Amino acid sequence: MASRIRPLAPAFRALPRTTLARAPTSAATARLAAQVAAATSARRSLSLKSFFSSRKPKSDSFTSQFEPVLEQANLFHPLSKSPLPAVRAKGEWISAHGTCPVCKEHETEETKSKLPTYECPDCGYPTHCSEEHHKMDKEHHKHVCGTLREVNEDEHDLRSGRRMKEFEFPGAQHRDEAINLSNWDTFLYTRGFLSMNSERSMRHVSHVLTYPLTIGSVLHQSSPYRLGKDLTVEGLKSLAALRHTLHPAIIPGITQSQDLRSTATHTVRIFCLGARAESHLPPHIYMQLAYLFPSTAFQIHFVGPDATPPHTKSKEPHQHVHYEQMTFIYDNSRYESYHAEAGPFNPYYDVFFLFSPGLAHPATKEMWKPTIPLLLDTKCAIFGTGFDEKDVMNDVNQIESSGYELDWLMKPRENVFRSLKHEINMTDVRQSAQCNWGIWGIRGRRYDVKPSDE
């Protein structure tokens, strides 16, 4: 299994996964974690008196925490002139390690490409070595300039110091209230999230929730993935087994609050292999997954060299964190070492997720070879994601060419609950990717016993 984090885009592949993938993904996750934690319990009731009072409301200890450094109308800044030190440092890193596309196109053994020290005035990123090369490449740069400006403003917004109301997540809802998983909009609305009044807010929230919602949207009985269009017959069989456990019959006399804490009748194990950014999310983020299945307890196993709990300095290779009806297990070993300890496996209770595993990546595919046969032997459902269409199809082609005996559960397709935020390849800012862009599913082949004709 992979010991180095997979890059976000092709040009990342020349550099260590641990160094690069954590920079845009895990670091961003860590920044969001504190804001999400502060906002989770921020909802308060309104008083009619406040609507008719002429006096200005007094500030309290909670709202005083959020003194914006940047106003919403002042989010765009060239990276080198940003008022935020972390953003300036990002620009310096790109200028020191990036690539000028014009120089790269005409690079020879005698003339090496120069570093991108010139910042585009429209997106604020260092994109070329000079203004001259920027003008020469204008026709190509215009296709990525809008995305770079969007990422620039999103980064400044996250660090602006404003109260992030987007992260005031709702708690459990009544079991009779239906949840619509058709897309991000319907999910947020039917789950009672605060109104998302901008595309930027949607990008922030989707980036945080893409891991738990990717899992939940596959497993839930209201999944957006349908037989024929997305799922195979074998896929429907595997998900039917899991849903039988995840949606048990309601037991009369048990209240909803009891369901969420002490009366779960089943435990479902979710194994996230090669875990990286998904293991760094605070446990309460994964409660949005648990709220979809209020009668089920979960164990989430994060397995891989980079699997570490958030906000911890402990170097223990195996750690447990308990949070309401969820238990989080973090293990730094490779899966082939963890497999025997985790068994036996049951297709009704166990499922595997491989978030952007890099099965076809030259630096990691040899490390996955001993793992995939073990997963297929369990006969449990296995789902994987990728950063873009090419990334997904590379992994799918690797699986199909390896000669494994397997059944396809889900055809490779775009993930409904992908992150809407773009991640920029800092060694080549022309390239970007979206976390969990695509999804696919497989399972070890089962053989049905049929009576002979004799």
Side-chain angles (χ1 to χ4, degrees):
M1 189 166 49
S3 62
R4 297 160 68 83
I5 288 185
R6 188 156 190 240
L8 293 178
F12 277 110
R13 292 173 178 165
L15 299 176
R17 298 175 75 200
T18 303
T19 302
L20 285 174
R22 276 187 173 175
T25 306
S26 302
T29 302
R31 289 197 304 272
L32 294 180
Q35 294 167 314
V36 174
T40 301
S41 60
R43 293 192 178 187
R44 288 169 288 177
S45 60
L46 294 174
S47 168
L48 287 176
K49 184 178 179 180
S50 64
F51 286 102
F52 300 101
S53 174
S54 60
R55 293 185 299 173
K56 186 177 180 179
K58 295 181 179 180
S59 61
D60 56 35
S61 58
F62 179 80
T63 56
S64 63
Q65 299 176 46
F66 303 94
E67 297 295 337
V69 177
L70 296 173
E71 298 296 333
Q72 289 297 291
N74 187 34
L75 292 178
F76 174 73
H77 297 271
L79 268 59
S80 64
K81 299 177 182 178
S82 171
L84 305 173
V87 177
R88 293 198 301 272
K90 178 180 180 180
E92 291 170 1
W93 196 99
I94 295 173
S95 295
H97 300 88
T99 302
C100 171
V102 177
C103 290
K104 186 175 182 179
E105 184 179 350
H106 300 91
E107 185 178 20
T108 64
E109 294 182 1
E110 293 78 19
T111 60
K112 294 184 178 180
S113 61
K114 298 178 182 178
L115 296 173
T117 54
Y118 176 78
E119 288 180 327
C120 170
D122 296 320
C123 66
Y125 268 77
T127 57
H128 297 80
C129 66
S130 65
E131 184 177 2
E132 180 185 359
H133 278 195
H134 177 262
K135 291 179 179 179
M136 290 172 59
D137 194 46
K138 194 170 184 178
E139 189 63 27
H140 294 95
H141 179 68
K142 70 179 183 181
H143 297 295
V144 300
C145 190
T147 299
L148 290 172
R149 184 178 180 113
E150 177 185 287
V151 173
N152 182 326
E153 293 182 355
D154 286 356
E155 182 95 13
H156 282 95
D157 184 46
L158 282 172
R159 300 172 182 271
S160 66
R162 71 174 176 89
R163 176 177 171 182
M164 303 296 291
K165 294 184 178 181
E166 299 93 323
F167 300 141
E168 297 178 15
F169 294 166
Q173 65 189 63
H174 196 275
R175 71 173 94 235
D176 292 332
E177 296 179 4
I179 298 172
N180 189 321
L181 290 166
S182 297
N183 52 52
W184 278 113
D185 287 318
T186 58
F187 167 75
L188 297 174
Y189 177 75
T190 55
R191 270 289 290 125
F193 280 73
L194 293 176
S195 178
M196 301 293 160
N197 55 10
S198 70
E199 292 183 1
R200 178 171 294 121
S201 295
M202 287 290 292
R203 290 194 293 270
H204 291 336
V205 172
S206 67
H207 188 62
V208 172
L209 292 179
T210 181
Y211 291 107
L213 263 297
T214 294
I215 297 172
S217 64
V218 170
L219 302 182
H220 200 273
Q221 62 186 4
S222 299
S223 171
Y225 306 114
R226 297 287 182 258
L227 177 64
K229 180 181 179 182
D230 311 301
L231 299 176
T232 65
V233 173
E234 293 301 321
L236 186 61
K237 290 179 182 178
S238 286
L239 289 175
L242 287 164
R243 290 167 184 169
H244 177 78
T245 305
L246 290 163
H247 299 281
I250 297 174
I251 302 174
I254 295 180
T255 66
Q256 186 179 16
S257 61
Q258 288 175 318
D259 281 346
L260 287 171
R261 289 167 175 79
S262 60
T263 60
T265 55
H266 303 281
T267 298
V268 170
R269 299 191 302 173
I270 299 171
F271 294 86
C272 298
L273 307 187
R276 305 183 300 276
E278 61 269 31
S279 70
H280 304 152
L281 289 173
H284 71 269
I285 298 296
Y286 281 96
M287 283 305 296
Q288 295 302 318
L289 167 64
Y291 293 146
L292 299 178
F293 309 97
S295 299
T296 304
F298 287 93
Q299 285 184 6
I300 301 186
H301 297 246
F302 298 108
V303 184
D306 296 295
T308 54
H311 309 304
T312 181
K313 295 181 180 179
S314 174
K315 296 183 179 180
E316 290 294 324
H318 188 87
Q319 300 181 55
H320 287 69
V321 176
H322 300 280
Y323 196 93
E324 297 197 23
Q325 86 235 47
M326 306 191 83
T327 299
F328 300 88
I329 300 170
Y330 303 83
D331 196 288
N332 295 143
S333 64
R334 300 188 188 279
Y335 180 74
E336 52 266 34
S337 303
Y338 191 72
H339 180 78
E341 177 185 341
F345 297 91
N346 188 324
Y348 281 78
Y349 298 97
D350 301 319
V351 61
F352 296 91
F353 279 85
L354 283 58
F355 291 108
S356 302
L359 302 181
H361 189 271
T364 58
K365 67 180 182 180
E366 292 298 323
M367 302 176 188
W368 280 103
K369 282 187 176 180
T371 298
I372 300 301
L374 295 175
L375 301 184
L376 295 175
D377 285 345
T378 67
K379 309 302 181 187
C380 296
I382 306 162
F383 295 94
T385 68
F387 287 114
D388 53 31
E389 184 176 7
K390 182 178 180 180
D391 188 32
V392 170
M393 294 312 301
N394 283 343
D395 286 351
V396 168
N397 292 334
Q398 176 66 26
I399 292 170
E400 290 183 330
S401 64
S402 297
Y404 299 125
E405 291 194 349
L406 55 83
D407 293 313
W408 282 97
L409 306 185
M410 180 184 288
K411 304 171 186 176
R413 56 151 294 154
E414 193 171 354
N415 178 14
V416 173
F417 288 93
R418 66 193 178 279
S419 171
L420 303 179
K421 178 181 178 181
H422 285 85
E423 301 284 355
I424 301 301
N425 178 357
M426 295 202 297
T427 62
D428 188 344
V429 297
R430 295 173 299 172
Q431 299 178 348
S432 66
Q434 292 172 274
C435 188
N436 299 329
W437 178 90
I439 190 168
W440 48 267
I442 59 174
R443 185 201 63 208
R445 178 163 295 167
R446 295 176 180 172
Y447 293 95
D448 296 326
V449 178
K450 298 181 180 179
S452 72
D453 296 334
E454 298 179 2

